Amino acid sequence: MWKNYIKIAWRNLWKNPIYSMINIGGLGIGIACCLLIFQYVAFEFSFDEFHENASDIYHVSWSRVQNEGEPSVNTATGWQVGPALAEETPDVRRYVRIHPEYGSAVVSNSDHPVKTFEEEKVYYVDSTFFQLFTFPLVYGDASRVLEPGTLVLSQSAAKKYFGEEDPIGHSLDVTGWFGGEFHYHGVVNGVFKDVPTNSQLQFEFLVPMSGLFQQSEYNDPSTGWGWNNFITYVQLRPDTDPVEVDRKFTEIYMRHRQENFQRSNVRAYVTTSPFRDVYLNEDLALYSFAKGSSRAVYFFIIIGLITLLIALFNYINLSIAGALGRAREVGVRKAVGAQKFQLIFQFISESALTVFISTVLGFAIAGFVLTTVNSLADVGLTFWLWKSSGFWFVFPFLFFVIILISGLYPALMLSSFRSMDVLKGNKGTFKGGSRMREGLIVFQFAISIVLLVGTIVVYKQVNYMQHMDLGMNLEQVMTVPGPKLIPDGVDRTNAVETFTQRLSSLSPVGEIATSGSIPGKGFAFGTNGFRKASADQSEEIAASGTSIDTSFINLYGLELVAGDIKNRSYLVPEGEPSHILINETAAYSLGFDKPKDALGEELSHGLVIGVLKDFNWSSAHHARENTIFYLSPNNPYISIKLGTENLPETISAIEALYKQHFPGNPFQYAFVDEQFDQLYKNDHRFARLFVVFTSLAIFIACLGLLGLATYTTRQRTKEIGVRKVLGASVSGIVALLSKEFVRLILLAILIASPIAWYVMNRWLQNYAYQIELKWWMFVGAGMAAIVIALLTVSSQAVKAALMNPVNSLRSE
Amino acid sequence: MIKLSNIDKYVDSKFQRVFILKGIDLEIEQGEFVTLMGPSGAGKSTLLNIIGLLDDDYVGDYEFEGEMVNKMKEKQRHALHKKEFGNIFQAYHLIDELTVYENIETPLLYRSVSSSERKSIVAELLDRFNMVAKKDLFPAQLSGGQQQLVGIARAIAGKPRVLLADEPTGNLHSNQAKQIMEVFAELNREGTTIIQATHAEENAAYGNRLLEIVDGKIEEDKILIK
Ligand SMILES: Nc1ncnc2c1ncn2[C@@H]1O[C@H](COP(=O)(O)OP(=O)(O)OP(=O)(O)O)[C@@H](O)[C@H]1O
Ligand SMILES: [Mg+2]
């Protein structure tokens, strides 16, 4: 019996090779999509699972609530929080604080200064780091590394700085910048395996926290709660109740900050989040940590399922169409003694065969396009899914669900044919299932149209953000980090000053400015204590800012609505407030009726000497913030406005000058507009993936349409022949055959439009600056769907219409 | 063997009830070779379908070997059909994707016949109809007469006691038709009850009883003496 089924199934596949190819190919593509997406999703969910203590590690964040308003979340804490929690509750087994290198550090091989590079992946960590987290050491003793005066680095960093030499016992110099120059000399006593990609902690160098604490500001315990530079992790005892822990932590936190908070009418609460979940949690953004997005993950899960569903519907649709041609076989089988369940079983096992081939094909396609997907999505997927046991648990289940979904309806439909009806007369055909088929086509196209509208909206939005007027001019601005290695006895400010003077004499160089941060790189500091100097502390608000020099405003084309900065001196007499500029938003937030009114006012952070027209320091994802610029001559970043001509020569001239003035410092430059565009990297990626999946969905839907069109035209060959004999024109026949499909697509547009409108509206809410949804986006998507569908259908229709009617009539 | 009493079949249209069969009383004994004749649309096929258990939508009583078919459950009826009846069609209705051999084998598969027994039954039938050389061909590679021979071989593979044939020679030339009829006569001699519907007078001559059906009624019931 089995052999008979398989034989029939196999011969049926070969009888209509094109039809079978469409059928299997469509499903194969759907399965490939699903596999890739699930691979990606599994990768995103695998973050930080490799730590032995993964289930006991928690990230500590705290939220500040002022005047019982909206809480503001802080993912970083002060340096005293970790020790206080560990000391004052028994629940904490150990804690680790991580202080990332905010910005970049210069690292050099102490013995071979040629090996000097700018490094961003530098963490200052507590000595418990390797006990809490699981990062295997290649060299070194886990209990000895991170002792004062030592340093550990990754295998690839070791290669970069020491080549094939054994790095143990050699030393590195790390020069960072935290509001001032910071220098550390450490002897390498450990090398760890390169950090896996599915780790949110991404680092090349670990410097013991004791090194950082040499800085004088850490002698003052009061800085230990207010300066939120440290990311704190705790390892809790396995049976701890997380709710109870949050309550205890909050109590401890409040106890230590009581005085401070009472003045400003602030309360705070502490939240511990499982370490494994932090990566996908959009609300917990951490500086210099890998960040995923649960929203994106869920989006792709949905897209994957939709693609699979479209492919399945396709398959069902084509099976139904194909089934009609087999009505006679069913009739015969019944007449010779088959029972209904035997027929159902036969058709289900046939669909199992097809699904099996499709699955194999799907795996092949997925493996084949993996590299393309990796470059498109900017991910490093490898196929490990089938090595995990969970996969083999879920996959057979999925396989059977697919077989059931795709095989059951055609099987039930077929097995219910009465042999008496289908064996009548000479022909043995039967019509049926057309409602279902039309329904499936409408569904497929409705989804395709939603995706098409989505594509248009996503592209418009990304384009809009990228070309949005920022209120700043980033064109032709090059930045180089200022020098970090300054010889003893040299004043950094003066050295930079001399450099910029020499630089400005180069002809294509325009303005030169220095600042604490640059557009697209975020602000240099944030504060919760911004207010009028005269106002009560309970009126404090949040603000962010950076230091700038006096040329900065001009270079970036920022517009002053009040005040000026010409001839301002950086030095203010002892006891007088420093000079600051604020933006319009800040002026309004502080309660000034007009931004101008803020001029000359004294604020918590200094005297307002200028008010700037609003601008966008960060991407369009974020609304404008209250912004403070304070004047300082000594800043880490140097911005240089360049002309457009002779760019390579200019850059090498700047490099030569840089090397001459700041010997030993690596020269690294970037263009601000390009860096700013990096903020939209994820959006671009999203848009690209959206296009890929939309095209796939439409492609599969069109395959289905093509299969169906082939089938219906074949069924109507006789009708077409008769019509032609009676004098119908080719175009008339094409119109006749296409009309039905157009009707279905129109219905799909009707269903898809409100869904697309709702979904895309929701999506746009993620952006502070959004485009408006316009009617033409829907009409455009609908038209595109109709055109694509017509092209697909009419190819078949034209073929049928051009056929010699004598042939078609004779063959009947 | 078969006893129909007062069988009606009708369809209800909007305005009236249209009878396709009306008051059919018919008894057929084992070993008979019955021919149904009559004008097109008279109800021959309908009657054959009812006798062959393919149609259960009628009123009246149908007894098969003393058992009331019209009172049977679907499952019993199916079992009875499988055990006792074989069908032969005007359009042969072979399964295009199966070879001659596999087509003949199919009913045996649904009867759970062991593989070795299947082989011998099919080989015997192929031999009987001189089709051994053609066993691996597909239906499309055979002539109409050959296809109908395969159809007959398939119908008798399950050793049914009753063979139903609806215009078995309708698509064939007279020579081929003759051959088929001779096969029927031989089967009948071996004891198989045969009921056929046909338009061709000469086919009736092979049987021993002729029923004239007109407008859903049996107009005439003659015994033919050879
Ligand atoms: N499902 C049905 N609904 C309505 N009328 C039907 C149906 N099936 C058959 N008929 C009618 O029943 C009558 C008898 O049909 P049947 O097929 O039995 O005729 P027949 O004697 O076999 O004719 P032919 O010699 O042309 O094969 C016809 O008038 C036909 O129109
Ligand atoms: Mg008939």
Side-chain angles (χ1 to χ4, degrees):
Chain A
M1 181 103 306
W2 266 104
K3 249 167 72 190
N4 192 281
Y5 291 166
I6 300 280
K7 247 184 274 177
I8 268 247
W10 190 250
R11 288 179 194 156
N12 258 314
L13 286 180
W14 280 107
K15 199 168 83 176
N16 278 321
I18 297 194
Y19 195 80
S20 307
M21 246 153 59
I22 290 176
N23 214 341
I24 292 175
L27 194 54
I29 294 171
I31 290 174
C33 268
C34 237
L35 276 174
L36 286 172
I37 286 176
F38 288 147
Q39 181 68 65
Y40 161 76
V41 168
F43 174 73
E44 292 290 283
F45 279 125
S46 75
F47 263 73
D48 301 313
E49 292 289 345
F50 58 87
H51 297 286
E52 272 162 36
N53 300 326
S55 55
D56 298 330
I57 306 177
Y58 290 81
H59 168 263
V60 179
S61 61
W62 67 282
S63 302
R64 178 189 150 101
V65 184
Q66 186 162 32
N67 302 327
E68 290 306 318
E70 283 290 303
S72 65
V73 184
N74 294 278
T75 52
T77 69
W79 56 272
Q80 287 208 330
V81 173
L85 297 179
E87 220 163 89
E88 296 172 38
T89 64
D91 306 325
V92 179
R93 271 190 72 178
R94 43 173 89 90
Y95 68 91
V96 162
R97 293 163 297 179
I98 298 177
H99 185 291
E101 175 74 51
Y102 292 96
S104 61
V106 171
V107 178
S108 50
N109 182 329
S110 313
D111 307 322
H112 299 278
V114 243
K115 300 275 189 190
T116 299
F117 305 96
E118 289 266 347
E119 300 287 355
E120 292 187 352
K121 295 179 169 181
V122 182
Y123 286 174
Y124 300 81
V125 299
D126 281 310
S127 56
T128 44
F129 187 87
F130 285 101
Q131 274 110 55
L132 200 106
F133 299 116
T134 309
F135 292 106
L137 287 169
V138 190
Y139 303 115
D141 174 354
S143 61
R144 301 283 308 280
V145 293
L146 297 173
E147 280 179 351
T150 67
L151 183 141
V152 273
L153 73 173
S154 72
Q155 252 179 318
S156 43
K159 200 160 223 158
K160 182 168 159 190
Y161 283 86
F162 301 103
E164 295 307 320
E165 232 179 307
D166 181 5
I168 303 290
H170 290 282
S171 54
L172 288 177
D173 284 284
V174 180
T175 309
W177 179 281
F178 308 117
E181 181 187 316
F182 166 75
H183 187 79
Y184 181 80
H185 176 86
V187 179
V188 176
N189 72 341
V191 175
F192 52 85
K193 260 208 187 123
D194 284 354
V195 175
T197 43
N198 58 351
S199 163
Q200 48 171 318
L201 273 54
Q202 288 294 334
F203 53 91
E204 300 271 17
F205 302 87
L206 293 178
V207 177
M209 194 61 88
S210 50
L212 185 71
F213 283 163
Q214 287 161 5
Q215 281 194 301
S216 58
E217 51 264 42
Y218 293 106
N219 296 332
D220 176 3
S222 71
T223 61
W225 292 89
W227 294 12
N228 297 307
N229 302 337
F230 292 83
I231 294 147
T232 306
Y233 294 99
V234 290
Q235 181 187 346
L236 299 179
R237 289 183 198 287
D239 45 3
T240 319
D241 171 16
V243 179
E244 184 60 14
V245 164
D246 282 2
R247 196 190 59 73
K248 280 189 201 164
F249 283 7
T250 301
E251 191 196 329
I252 295 167
Y253 199 90
M254 285 300 282
R255 180 148 27 86
H256 283 272
R257 306 229 57 196
Q258 211 161 25
E259 272 176 50
N260 208 299
F261 279 180
Q262 256 166 12
R263 268 183 279 140
S264 328
N265 190 23
V266 166
R267 86 186 156 78
Y269 57 89
V270 176
T271 315
T272 52
S273 321
F275 176 51
R276 293 184 287 199
D277 302 347
V278 174
Y279 171 72
L280 285 179
N281 187 338
E282 280 102 343
D283 298 333
L284 297 175
L286 295 160
Y287 182 89
S288 90
F289 282 48
K291 189 79 228 161
S293 153
S294 57
R295 225 186 293 129
V297 168
Y298 292 126
F299 172 81
F300 282 117
I301 291 180
I302 290 174
I303 285 276
L305 289 179
I306 284 182
T307 320
L308 185 63
L309 210 61
I310 289 188
L312 277 181
F313 281 9
N314 213 20
Y315 179 80
I316 297 174
N317 225 339
L318 292 171
S319 309
I320 295 175
L324 296 177
R326 298 179 63 182
R328 200 179 67 161
E329 182 191 332
V330 172
V332 171
R333 282 183 185 275
K334 279 194 161 177
V336 302
Q339 268 174 290
K340 196 167 171 170
F341 80 87
Q342 288 172 310
L343 289 169
I344 293 178
F345 188 73
Q346 179 189 346
F347 288 109
I348 295 261
S349 52
E350 264 188 42
S351 104
L353 178 71
T354 322
V355 172
F356 178 76
I357 300 175
S358 303
T359 309
V360 172
L361 182 71
F363 270 91
I365 295 176
F368 199 68
V369 300
L370 193 66
T371 44
T372 318
V373 170
N374 275 340
S375 69
L376 263 178
D378 197 16
V379 287
L381 293 185
T382 49
F383 257 125
W384 51 262
L385 203 58
W386 52 57
K387 287 183 200 146
S388 72
S389 56
F391 177 77
W392 290 111
F393 187 71
V394 175
F395 184 72
F397 174 75
L398 212 70
F399 186 69
F400 283 112
V401 168
I402 292 177
I403 290 172
L404 272 188
I405 293 180
S406 58
L408 203 58
Y409 184 83
L412 285 177
M413 195 184 89
L414 271 170
S415 61
S416 65
F417 288 163
R418 294 200 307 170
S419 48
M420 187 178 88
D421 296 330
V422 293
L423 295 182
K424 220 168 19 186
N426 268 334
K427 198 62 179 122
T429 54
F430 192 73
K431 287 187 167 59
S434 61
R435 266 291 126 76
M436 177 79 172
R437 260 161 45 205
E438 289 180 355
L440 293 178
I441 287 274
V442 169
F443 177 86
Q444 287 183 318
F445 267 84
I447 290 179
S448 302
I449 291 164
V450 171
L451 289 174
L452 266 176
V453 173
T455 312
I456 297 175
V457 174
V458 168
Y459 260 86
K460 278 267 148 199
Q461 172 68 18
V462 171
N463 193 47
Y464 164 78
M465 292 193 295
Q466 213 169 5
H467 297 111
M468 194 171 72
D469 182 13
L470 298 172
M472 286 186 301
N473 184 359
L474 309 183
E475 267 165 52
Q476 295 294 117
V477 180
M478 179 175 121
T479 60
V480 291
K484 295 200 174 70
L485 306 178
I486 303 291
D488 285 339
V490 174
D491 179 60
R492 186 181 182 279
T493 313
N494 283 340
V496 173
E497 175 90 33
T498 326
F499 169 69
T500 53
Q501 266 162 18
R502 286 288 308 281
L503 197 57
S504 57
S505 63
L506 287 175
S507 71
V509 169
E511 215 130 6
I512 301 163
T514 64
S515 54
S517 184
I518 47 173
K521 280 265 179 190
F523 287 107
F525 68 89
T527 175
N528 284 316
F530 188 48
R531 60 182 162 87
K532 291 179 187 168
S534 58
D536 187 71
Q537 276 188 331
S538 65
E539 284 168 37
E540 286 176 344
I541 55 173
S544 305
T546 174
S547 59
I548 58 168
D549 71 359
T550 48
S551 316
F552 187 86
I553 301 289
N554 235 344
L555 188 149
Y556 281 101
L558 291 161
E559 205 177 307
L560 275 163
V561 290
D564 73 286
I565 50 165
K566 286 204 186 75
N567 310 320
R568 288 285 177 175
S569 141
Y570 296 110
L571 290 174
V572 287
E574 193 72 34
E576 280 189 28
S578 49
H579 289 170
I580 62 168
L581 296 104
I582 59 171
N583 64 348
E584 288 173 310
T585 302
Y588 286 122
S589 304
L590 287 170
F592 295 106
D593 289 335
K594 276 180 278 171
K596 273 189 189 134
D597 299 346
L599 194 67
E601 292 284 329
E602 195 185 332
L603 306 180
S604 52
H605 286 67
L607 181 73
V608 180
I609 59 158
V611 179
L612 293 161
K613 194 166 182 299
D614 274 335
F615 53 91
N616 286 83
W617 188 260
S618 300
S619 73
H621 294 267
H622 305 287
R624 286 165 186 154
E625 298 171 70
N626 302 321
T627 306
I628 311 165
F629 285 163
Y630 63 90
L631 292 181
S632 163
N634 192 12
N635 297 308
Y637 283 99
I638 304 173
S639 306
I640 307 162
K641 185 90 175 179
L642 298 177
T644 44
E645 67 279 4
N646 297 337
L647 212 50
E649 286 89 342
T650 313
I651 292 171
S652 35
I654 294 173
E655 178 171 4
L657 211 57
Y658 188 92
K659 292 230 160 112
Q660 177 194 339
H661 281 262
F662 311 126
N665 284 285
F667 176 77
Q668 266 177 356
Y669 69 92
F671 285 92
V672 181
D673 50 358
E674 284 168 15
Q675 269 187 344
F676 202 88
D677 273 349
Q678 287 291 305
L679 301 178
Y680 297 119
K681 208 173 93 181
N682 278 332
D683 301 286
H684 282 296
R685 180 168 86 174
F686 184 79
R688 269 200 307 269
L689 285 175
F690 211 106
V691 171
V692 170
F693 285 115
T694 306
S695 327
L696 276 177
I698 292 175
F699 178 69
I700 299 175
C702 279
L703 278 185
L705 203 58
L706 183 68
L708 215 59
T710 317
Y711 183 78
T712 41
T713 30
R714 205 174 55 200
Q715 255 196 340
R716 295 174 71 173
T717 330
K718 186 177 173 188
E719 178 195 340
I720 294 164
V722 173
R723 281 177 191 273
K724 279 193 82 173
V725 170
L726 296 179
S729 68
V730 171
S731 58
I733 287 173
V734 173
L736 174 83
L737 290 172
S738 310
K739 206 175 63 195
E740 269 172 59
F741 290 107
V742 172
R743 188 176 55 89
L744 297 181
I745 308 296
L746 284 177
L747 188 60
I749 294 174
L750 227 63
I751 295 171
S753 295
I755 299 173
W757 184 86
Y758 175 78
V759 173
M760 292 326 289
N761 218 18
R762 282 284 300 272
W763 180 75
L764 285 174
Q765 303 302 317
N766 294 329
Y767 296 91
Y769 300 87
Q770 7 166 308
I771 54 163
E772 259 176 72
L773 292 176
K774 298 265 172 52
W775 60 268
W776 65 260
M777 297 173 182
F778 298 89
V779 174
M783 295 289 280
I786 289 184
V787 168
I788 294 170
L790 269 185
L791 284 177
T792 311
V793 172
S794 60
S795 67
Q796 286 304 311
V798 168
K799 213 167 88 185
L802 288 178
M803 208 155 48
N804 187 345
V806 178
N807 286 341
S808 60
L809 288 180
R810 200 171 41 210
S811 73
E812 267 303 297
Chain B
M1 183 183 214
I2 291 167
K3 185 174 177 214
L4 303 180
S5 328
N6 203 15
I7 297 280
D8 285 351
K9 178 168 174 80
Y10 51 81
V11 283
D12 285 324
S13 73
K14 237 182 215 164
F15 308 104
Q16 74 211 76
R17 176 166 287 188
V18 179
F19 281 89
I20 301 170
L21 295 176
K22 178 107 183 97
I24 300 279
D25 288 309
L26 176 62
E27 240 178 288
I28 297 173
E29 294 304 326
Q30 176 148 12
E32 279 193 281
F33 186 160
V34 182
T35 305
L36 306 182
M37 290 196 73
S40 196
K44 304 183 294 291
S45 300
T46 310
L47 185 56
L48 273 182
N49 283 336
I50 290 174
I51 295 174
L53 309 185
L54 295 177
D55 187 359
D56 58 357
D57 182 21
Y58 57 88
V59 288
D61 286 337
Y62 176 2
E63 254 177 71
F64 187 90
E65 305 262 83
E67 304 232 26
M68 295 299 278
V69 173
N70 51 309
K71 302 245 162 68
M72 280 182 182
K73 294 219 178 68
E74 166 79 37
K75 214 172 161 183
Q76 284 172 288
R77 207 165 44 233
H78 184 265
L80 180 64
H81 171 254
K82 199 153 92 171
K83 183 156 172 275
E84 308 285 10
F85 291 91
N87 293 79
I88 294 159
F89 308 94
Q90 177 180 358
Y92 330 128
H93 289 321
L94 302 179
I95 298 177
D96 294 334
E97 290 75 29
L98 295 180
T99 62
V100 166
Y101 184 97
E102 290 157 355
N103 262 294
I104 300 174
E105 188 188 24
T106 307
L108 302 174
L109 293 171
Y110 289 116
R111 284 166 177 77
S112 315
V113 177
S114 77
S115 141
S116 59
E117 215 177 319
R118 277 200 317 260
K119 258 191 203 135
S120 73
I121 294 175
V122 177
E124 208 176 293
L125 286 166
L126 285 169
D127 195 35
R128 171 170 192 171
F129 295 121
N130 285 323
M131 303 282 296
V132 179
K134 306 224 156 30
K135 73 176 171 49
D136 291 324
L137 297 183
F138 287 92
Q141 298 165 303
L142 300 178
S143 76
Q146 289 166 334
Q147 288 190 49
Q148 195 58 297
L149 280 178
V150 177
I152 295 169
R154 184 181 64 185
I156 63 174
K159 302 198 168 67
R161 287 201 289 158
V162 184
L163 207 52
L164 300 166
D166 193 350
E167 297 184 38
T169 59
N171 287 8
L172 299 176
H173 302 297
S174 53
N175 268 352
Q176 296 171 315
K178 221 173 128 202
Q179 194 191 354
I180 299 294
M181 278 303 127
E182 265 150 22
V183 170
F184 275 16
E186 196 184 327
L187 288 170
N188 182 240
R189 275 197 297 280
E190 288 164 12
T192 311
T193 310
I194 296 177
I195 307 169
Q196 68 166 346
T198 183
H199 284 286
E201 201 79 47
E202 61 269 28
N203 288 348
Y206 290 88
N208 53 19
R209 187 173 170 191
L210 177 66
L211 297 175
E212 270 294 327
I213 315 265
V214 178
D215 270 350
K217 293 191 194 84
I218 301 176
E219 279 275 323
E220 212 186 328
D221 186 348
K222 316 192 263 207
I223 305 291
L224 301 176
I225 302 150
K226 281 178 215 173

